[in-house]
Amino acid sequence: MTGPVDRKPAIGRRHPADNIPEKPTGTKPPMVPPPPERPKVPAPQPVEERLIEQHNVRIRPSTKERLGRAVDKLRYETGDRSISIASITDQALREFMDRNGC
């Protein structure tokens, strides 16, 4: 008989990091030219602010129902789908502050 044979196991446990190549040492990265500069174009000014801020307030349930009916009525009569509870509330607050000099 022959002596013991030095073999690798058929199924080996390897860590995924073993496949990552070693970090190069002492070499500089290749020079990449900077991207061409784009001409500066002024940003377009928004025509109208979007209603994105949420303002949590307490209102009477009857006022909320009336406001919902008003939104439905105005949307139906005008055909304007941009009318919402938020847009009516925003407009009412602006009118109130203008009227009181705020």
Side-chain angles (χ1 to χ4, degrees):
M1 282 212 153
T2 60
V5 179
D6 189 23
R7 292 189 210 157
K8 291 174 78 177
I11 300 174
R13 293 186 180 204
R14 296 197 52 179
H15 192 275
D18 293 342
N19 297 333
I20 298 175
E22 293 296 321
K23 184 176 180 181
T25 58
T27 59
K28 292 184 178 180
M31 288 296 294
V32 177
E37 291 187 27
R38 296 180 182 173
K40 296 191 178 198
V41 179
Q45 297 296 326
V47 177
E48 185 176 329
E49 288 181 288
R50 292 177 47 207
L51 301 172
I52 57 171
E53 292 295 322
Q54 185 172 356
H55 189 73
N56 293 324
V57 296
R58 292 178 184 249
I59 60 173
R60 293 180 187 93
S62 60
T63 304
K64 176 85 173 192
E65 290 173 15
R66 186 176 172 197
L67 180 57
R69 286 193 307 268
V71 167
D72 292 340
K73 178 182 176 187
L74 289 170
R75 281 182 172 179
Y76 177 74
E77 290 177 352
T78 63
D80 186 1
R81 302 304 293 173
S82 67
I83 296 173
S84 65
I85 290 176
S87 66
I88 291 176
T89 304
D90 183 66
Q91 185 178 355
L93 287 170
R94 285 173 175 263
E95 289 176 10
F96 177 83
M97 290 186 289
D98 289 344
R99 187 174 59 235
N100 292 307
C102 298

